[in-house]
Amino acid sequence: MTYTFLQHYWCFVVSLLGALLVFLLFVQGANSCMRSLGWTEEGKRLVINSTGRKWEFTFTTLVTFGGAFFASFPLFYSTSFGGAYWLWMAILFTFVLQAVSYEFQNKLGNFLGPRTFQFFLVLNGLLGPLLLGGAVATFFEGSNFIVEKGNLVDAGAVTPVISRWANASHGLDALLNPWVLVFGLAVMFLARVLGILYVMNNVADEDIRSRGSVRLIGNAVPFVVLFVAYLVHLLLKDGYAYNDEGLIFLEPYKYLTNFIEMWPLLLIFVIGVALVLFGIGKTVLSRDYVKGIWPAGIGTVLTVLPLLLCSAWNHTAYYPSTADLQSSLTIANSCSSEFTLRTMFYVSFLVPFVLAYIVYCWRKIDAKKLDRQEIQTDHAY
């Protein structure tokens, strides 16, 4: 195992976790559609209890994604999480609101009332995917930071800070880029599509399933339009490349070139898009089909994974700097030591066992479809 192999391997692991996280955002998407899907108070409780069975998976994957990034590419972690902290704090705050809302909305002594916490769930359902999508879009659009590794060995430096944000917005300036918003909105509508498909499969209620088909069309159309628009922009824009000496430069059609030169990723990407469209289309066209979450969910992972890998593999700077081009981060200049990556490589063999446990728990939780009778129990949210 060479150092280069380990860098690419851990980039793959982090990208896979990111792709799984986007799929698991169906929890946020379903919550954002709570009122239109549930309609009545009992219907809204059905939606909340359906997503309440899975929200820990999403939160845990988000934390694992951040932890894997920290361990394998610490310079990204310190630059993005330490510099763009207002953006990441906003993301984490919405997820904390989600956790609190599930547990306290129907507790005795809740002076705010259930509707307040239901509003927090909707807020997390809209802002969580939007902001996460915006953060991912900076892998292609760039962020406003400067890296100065020389500060570590500069005896005159007051504080040995490697990276700093170039303005006072600390990440929120990314939302001023219209293409970042386009990608963020695409992720938000994808989460809503997946959320509707999940609830239609998980809740045995004809009223919710009949409304779900209509709501699905209303969210799938803007998702497809926004996603196609950003994809065309991405393939035609200049990308951030680097040579063997580490010099970073702009290359025309870089991401299109990546897909062509790494054609297996392009094949996986096309299969993923086809599965997402199949899951949506068959659910809309077939009244009795409620398993669209599975082809669409698998397709989401197969679509997002190649996109993330194209932002980093093939001599591509995965976290470009718009303030100083040479400060851009690559898997070569931002990774941990070879010893650390090699040690974690063996630890990563435990990941399949963790995934198997998640699948086992998922099947046990969903052994019986949720219905109106079940939300009358003491264990319901």
Side-chain angles (χ1 to χ4, degrees):
M1 292 184 297
T2 65
Y3 196 19
T4 301
F5 167 79
L6 291 170
Q7 292 166 354
H8 284 76
Y9 172 79
W10 277 103
C11 179
F12 172 81
V13 171
V14 171
S15 298
L16 179 59
L17 288 170
L20 290 171
L21 176 60
V22 175
F23 161 61
L24 292 171
L25 288 177
F26 70 78
V27 173
Q28 279 65 36
N31 286 340
S32 69
C33 299
M34 176 200 317
R35 300 182 188 279
S36 57
L37 277 178
W39 196 253
T40 63
E41 287 300 320
E42 192 175 36
K44 285 187 285 187
R45 288 199 67 194
L46 277 171
V47 174
I48 292 172
N49 278 271
S50 176
T51 59
R53 296 175 169 187
K54 303 295 191 308
W55 73 269
E56 292 97 338
F57 291 141
T58 309
F59 198 91
T60 302
T61 305
L62 175 63
V63 174
T64 306
F65 172 75
F69 236 140
F70 169 72
S72 52
F73 301 101
L75 187 53
F76 166 81
Y77 192 89
S78 64
T79 301
S80 181
F81 289 75
Y85 55 80
W86 284 125
L87 177 60
W88 288 108
M89 285 296 291
I91 293 171
L92 293 175
F93 179 72
T94 64
F95 277 87
V96 170
L97 279 181
Q98 178 202 53
V100 171
S101 299
Y102 275 120
E103 297 301 328
F104 288 97
Q105 59 182 300
N106 289 311
K107 291 288 186 181
L108 292 176
N110 171 20
F111 65 92
L112 295 176
R115 291 190 177 183
T116 300
F117 289 104
Q118 289 177 4
F119 169 76
F120 289 158
L121 288 176
V122 173
L123 188 66
N124 168 252
L126 294 173
L127 290 183
L130 174 65
L131 295 176
L132 276 174
V136 171
T138 61
F139 292 172
F140 304 102
E141 304 300 325
S143 294
N144 204 6
F145 63 90
I146 297 174
V147 175
E148 297 172 315
K149 292 185 178 180
N151 285 349
L152 283 179
V153 295
D154 184 4
V158 179
T159 55
V161 177
I162 300 178
S163 54
R164 59 183 174 84
W165 218 250
N167 58 43
S169 68
H170 292 291
L172 294 180
D173 54 310
L175 300 178
L176 299 178
N177 185 330
W179 287 112
V180 169
L181 288 178
V182 167
F183 191 83
L185 288 171
V187 172
M188 186 193 76
F189 279 108
L190 173 62
R192 287 168 68 88
V193 167
L194 295 174
I196 293 170
L197 291 173
Y198 169 76
V199 171
M200 291 178 67
N201 175 256
N202 187 250
V203 177
D205 187 86
E206 281 303 317
D207 290 340
I208 287 180
R209 286 178 175 176
S210 61
R211 278 192 293 272
S213 296
V214 179
R215 303 299 184 272
L216 184 59
I217 298 174
N219 287 280
V221 171
F223 159 66
V224 171
V225 171
L226 290 166
F227 180 73
V228 170
Y230 189 81
L231 182 61
V232 171
H233 159 74
L234 179 66
L235 297 179
L236 297 181
K237 76 187 295 289
D238 294 343
Y240 298 82
Y242 66 96
N243 57 25
D244 293 337
E245 288 72 38
L247 181 67
I248 298 164
F249 57 93
L250 288 175
E251 179 180 321
Y253 309 111
K254 174 59 177 172
Y255 302 108
L256 176 60
T257 302
N258 283 354
F259 269 126
I260 294 173
E261 294 181 351
M262 299 185 292
W263 61 265
L265 292 184
L266 176 60
L267 179 61
I268 294 171
F269 177 81
V270 172
I271 293 173
V273 171
L275 285 173
V276 173
L277 295 178
F278 172 79
I280 295 172
K282 189 168 183 180
T283 303
V284 172
L285 297 176
S286 177
R287 177 179 176 84
D288 298 325
Y289 185 73
V290 294
K291 296 182 179 180
I293 181 61
W294 300 119
I298 295 172
T300 296
V301 175
L302 296 181
T303 301
V304 176
L305 177 60
L307 273 178
L308 293 177
L309 292 178
C310 273
S311 73
W313 282 4
N314 199 33
H315 281 73
T316 309
Y318 70 89
Y319 199 48
S321 171
T322 56
D324 174 28
L325 190 61
Q326 300 310 313
S327 292
S328 302
L329 303 185
T330 70
I331 60 174
N333 68 15
S334 65
C335 64
S336 295
S337 67
E338 183 176 359
F339 174 79
T340 301
L341 295 182
R342 188 181 297 273
T343 303
M344 292 195 305
F345 173 81
Y346 296 110
V347 175
S348 70
F349 289 161
L350 297 174
V351 172
F353 295 97
V354 175
L355 292 177
Y357 176 73
I358 292 174
V359 171
Y360 172 78
C361 292
W362 189 298
R363 292 177 64 86
K364 283 294 185 181
I365 292 172
D366 286 352
K368 179 182 178 298
K369 299 295 183 183
L370 187 66
D371 54 30
R372 294 179 182 269
Q373 182 178 358
E374 189 168 341
I375 63 172
Q376 304 303 324
T377 65
D378 293 336
H379 300 290
Y381 289 109

